[in-house]
Amino acid sequence: MQRRNFYLGAGAVLAAALGTHMSLSSAQAPAASVASVSRLDALQSLPASERLPVLFVGHGSPMNAIEDNAYRRSWQALGRELLARGIRPRLILCVSAHWLTQGWQLTAMDDPRTIHDFGGFPQALFDQRYPAPGSPAMASAISQAVRQPGSDVPLGLDAQAWGLDHGAWSVLKPMFPDASIPVIQLSMDYGRPPAEHHALGQQLKALRDRGVLIVGSGNIVHNLRAIRREVADNQAYDWAIEFDRITGEHIAQGRLDALSEFRALGALAQLAHPTWDHYLPLLYAAGAVHEGEAPRFFNDSFQAASISMRSVIWG
């Protein structure tokens, strides 16, 4: 379908509450102490399984969680597909654009709360709950097996401050509506360079052979200052189309290391991502890809002219 191009004008709509997408977790849990077991021992505490896929999902507007649209239907279909393939994760590890911290942390509570980290939407969206359990034991094992880039200390454990934000539950609820699979979120240290986010994702690769479904949730293009709510899903700005095209080509051609160099695109990258929070989850998913795994794209369209919904599954 041909996309009609839009150009950013002085009257572009400012997104409400941009700050809610950049909130830092105020209660920082201390990093877990280094256990006497080796990193290999920590992984071996998780039973081996058939290798699970890794996903990057463009989540877009929170309303996608409840509207009967193509995006939500695709998430529902993907969940059914995975279960039909005999893929039932022991755990879902989600990296969402909406949990930014100093240092990296894992949620480690039994019952993570459903976080409504947005404003100005209908009450029906605030009424949504995703009561998936957490898994403190698996969070502890993963924290010992995965080290923070730059410091080599274990991932921190957050037993109470966070939960499941809408980057996680808005896509997981349509995929796995019975909420029976435990979910852990991994935060992102926004102050660290993109290459370190990719490097941490590479450490997650081994978890795919231990029953863990890795889900990165963000957007390949995400500029809330430029949204045009009235446009169709096949319409976007020229710069949004170009950044999405370049990123999609890197993925399709297996140039996953190049994804960390997105800032080299200069003004194009700045337009596509005034802040990087929605791009970074892609680096974790890409890092967890094994050599030779072919990507499959879905939802390769735009919302509101400046949000790419392109999503991808490997494996």
Side-chain angles (χ1 to χ4, degrees):
M1 182 179 297
Q2 185 176 6
R3 294 169 175 160
R4 179 182 171 192
N5 303 336
F6 285 93
Y7 295 88
L8 181 61
V13 180
L14 290 175
L18 175 63
T20 64
H21 293 263
M22 290 295 298
S23 59
L24 292 174
S25 178
S26 57
Q28 302 293 342
S33 60
V34 178
S36 59
V37 297
S38 70
R39 295 175 66 181
L40 180 60
D41 288 339
L43 271 185
Q44 288 178 338
S45 71
L46 304 177
S49 72
E50 180 181 352
R51 180 171 294 164
L52 270 66
V54 55
L55 311 175
F56 173 75
V57 181
H59 65 249
S61 168
M63 289 299 292
N64 293 327
I66 61 174
E67 290 182 339
D68 182 21
N69 59 28
Y71 306 120
R72 183 167 177 266
R73 289 193 296 270
S74 77
W75 302 335
Q76 293 171 322
L78 181 58
R80 290 192 296 267
E81 175 195 330
L82 294 176
L83 294 177
R85 287 165 53 184
I87 298 174
R88 182 172 180 81
R90 181 177 296 118
L91 174 78
I92 298 171
L93 178 65
C94 186
V95 185
S96 164
H98 297 277
W99 191 22
L100 308 179
T101 54
Q102 294 178 344
W104 282 268
Q105 299 182 37
L106 293 165
T107 55
M109 62 283 293
D110 286 311
D111 298 299
R113 63 191 177 98
T114 302
I115 301 173
H116 301 89
D117 50 330
F118 41 70
F121 290 96
Q123 184 60 41
L125 193 59
F126 291 91
D127 291 340
Q128 296 296 303
R129 297 291 182 273
Y130 191 61
S135 179
M138 293 192 75
S140 180
I142 293 170
S143 77
Q144 296 298 322
V146 179
R147 300 304 170 101
Q148 302 193 37
S151 67
D152 202 41
V153 300
L155 301 176
L157 295 175
D158 172 11
Q160 59 183 7
W162 203 243
L164 302 180
D165 59 56
H166 85 268
W169 64 259
S170 71
V171 297
L172 295 180
K173 186 171 184 178
M175 285 186 198
F176 304 107
D178 66 0
S180 63
I181 301 171
V183 180
I184 292 174
Q185 276 201 224
L186 169 63
S187 74
M188 301 187 300
D189 187 338
Y190 188 75
R192 306 305 299 173
E196 291 191 3
H197 296 270
H198 185 254
L200 199 156
Q202 290 176 314
Q203 296 184 63
L204 302 180
K205 189 182 304 183
L207 298 176
R208 295 176 56 196
D209 297 319
R210 300 285 171 174
V212 180
L213 177 68
I214 298 169
V215 179
S217 178
N219 291 100
I220 285 177
V221 175
H222 188 266
N223 185 332
L224 294 184
R225 299 184 180 102
I227 57 174
R228 297 276 299 275
R229 298 186 187 278
E230 75 280 7
V231 306
D233 289 344
N234 63 336
Q235 299 175 316
Y237 296 97
D238 279 347
W239 49 261
I241 293 170
E242 181 65 4
F243 189 91
D244 178 77
R245 181 192 65 79
I246 292 171
T247 305
E249 287 182 355
H250 285 325
I251 294 170
Q253 297 173 19
R255 299 193 301 266
L256 301 183
D257 288 346
L259 296 173
S260 298
E261 304 301 323
F262 72 100
R263 290 182 295 178
L265 295 173
L268 182 64
Q270 187 62 35
L271 281 169
H273 291 282
T275 59
W276 313 330
D277 46 323
H278 277 68
Y279 184 85
L280 293 178
L282 173 64
L283 302 183
Y284 292 81
V289 174
H290 287 269
E291 186 175 356
E293 286 187 305
R296 171 163 60 96
F297 293 112
F298 59 101
N299 287 350
D300 54 346
S301 60
F302 289 84
Q303 272 197 315
S306 63
I307 299 175
S308 168
M309 295 295 290
R310 181 186 294 276
S311 304
V312 59
I313 178 171
W314 292 268

